[in-house]
Amino acid sequence: MFKKLLLSLVTAIFLALLIPSSAFADNSVNVYFFWGSGCPHCAKEKPFLERLGKKYPSLKVYKYEVWYDQSNKDLLKKVGSELNANISGVPFTVIGDKHFSGYLNDETTGKQLEDV
């Protein structure tokens, strides 16, 4: 019971953070990166997000490993449900009300993420 309550609370807080960044006085942008340990596509996106964070100091990246962490996996399912998104794998990235599945390279998917 406590675990379900805690997951619901974490999910509510997470979804509250999905409000577009323009609503905040500090103009920060939150990126939620769901990834799997050992995933080659996730391994490509991680350094891209790190470089993006250096380029844009107001960018905040929150990382959730979902293959070995059941709480993060449950959160990913809940977020997918709330966004009406088909989550068939990782990486799964959320910026505001936009979501992205997969990662090819910096020039394609990376550009899409940066352009949000």
Side-chain angles (χ1 to χ4, degrees), residues 29-68:
V29 174
N30 296 319
V31 175
Y32 302 93
F33 175 56
F34 295 92
W35 62 285
S37 180
C39 165
H41 303 289
C42 300
K44 289 180 187 177
E45 186 172 346
K46 272 185 183 181
F48 171 79
L49 291 174
E50 289 170 9
R51 288 191 303 275
L52 207 59
K54 289 177 183 172
K55 185 175 180 180
Y56 302 102
S58 63
L59 185 75
K60 296 178 184 172
V61 179
Y62 299 91
K63 301 174 186 170
Y64 301 92
E65 197 290 324
V66 298
W67 285 357
Y68 299 102

Side-chain angles (χ1 to χ4, degrees):
M1 176 68 176
F2 176 74
K3 194 172 183 179
K4 286 184 180 183
L5 180 60
L6 181 60
L7 180 60
S8 295
L9 179 61
V10 169
T11 302
I13 292 169
F14 175 80
L15 293 174
L17 293 174
L18 291 177
I19 297 170
S21 62
S22 60
F24 296 102
D26 66 1
N27 291 323
S28 65
V29 174
N30 296 319
V31 175
Y32 302 93
F33 175 56
F34 295 92
W35 62 285
S37 180
C39 165
H41 303 289
C42 300
K44 289 180 187 177
E45 186 172 346
K46 272 185 183 181
F48 171 79
L49 291 174
E50 289 170 9
R51 288 191 303 275
L52 207 59
K54 289 177 183 172
K55 185 175 180 180
Y56 302 102
S58 63
L59 185 75
K60 296 178 184 172
V61 179
Y62 299 91
K63 301 174 186 170
Y64 301 92
E65 197 290 324
V66 298
W67 285 357
Y68 299 102
D69 187 310
Q70 186 62 46
S71 297
N72 289 345
K73 185 184 293 189
D74 293 342
L75 179 60
L76 175 59
K77 289 177 185 177
K78 181 75 172 171
V79 168
S81 175
E82 293 293 327
L83 293 173
N84 197 27
N86 178 19
I87 301 173
S88 57
V90 290
F92 186 80
T93 308
V94 179
I95 304 173
D97 61 352
K98 307 271 190 260
H99 56 84
F100 302 85
S101 292
Y103 190 85
L104 294 176
N105 56 48
D106 295 359
E107 292 78 30
T108 57
T109 314
K111 180 154 178 32
Q112 292 174 346
L113 292 170
E114 187 171 5
D115 288 346
V116 171

